[in-house]
Amino acid sequence: MHGQNTDPASSVSTPSSSPPVYRVYHDPDGTATLSTTVAHALADCLGIDVTESAAYVHDSVDPDALDALFRPRHDGAPRTGGSLVFHVHDYCVTVFSDGEIVIEPPTGPGRR
């Protein structure tokens, strides 16, 4: 599922609460690569065009390596238990082996 916040409660924010966390799941059987799903999710979070967010992903992590990292093993067995964390414009992006992508917005005084 591209660019959709799958947890509606996480998008609710009040002045005294933490910034919302964006969650999306990559479909490994779909046509999009994992890095493409990440780029679409970042575009939604940052409010920018996906081509621009793809460039930001490329500046932070090698998209081909990201796609390969969680690809099934040569025998077809899924890769489990792993995650990768990287930052794009102070957003913390965590990609899990099960396809979950969590994007946490900047916090603190420098928050955008």
Side-chain angles (χ1 to χ4, degrees), residues 21-96:
V21 173
Y22 189 91
R23 295 176 191 275
V24 67
Y25 287 84
H26 171 70
D27 178 5
D29 297 322
T31 58
T33 63
L34 177 57
S35 59
T36 299
T37 303
V38 170
H40 279 270
L42 276 168
D44 287 349
C45 288
L46 296 170
I48 59 174
D49 184 79
V50 70
T51 56
E52 190 176 353
S53 70
Y56 292 148
V57 170
H58 189 271
D59 289 344
S60 299
V61 66
D62 180 331
D64 293 331
L66 175 60
D67 294 337
L69 183 62
F70 298 119
R71 193 173 289 144
R73 298 179 189 278
H74 293 291
D75 66 0
R79 297 187 189 268
T80 59
S83 64
L84 175 71
V85 177
F86 59 97
H87 293 86
V88 175
H89 282 279
D90 297 327
Y91 283 74
C92 180
V93 180
T94 306
V95 181
F96 294 92

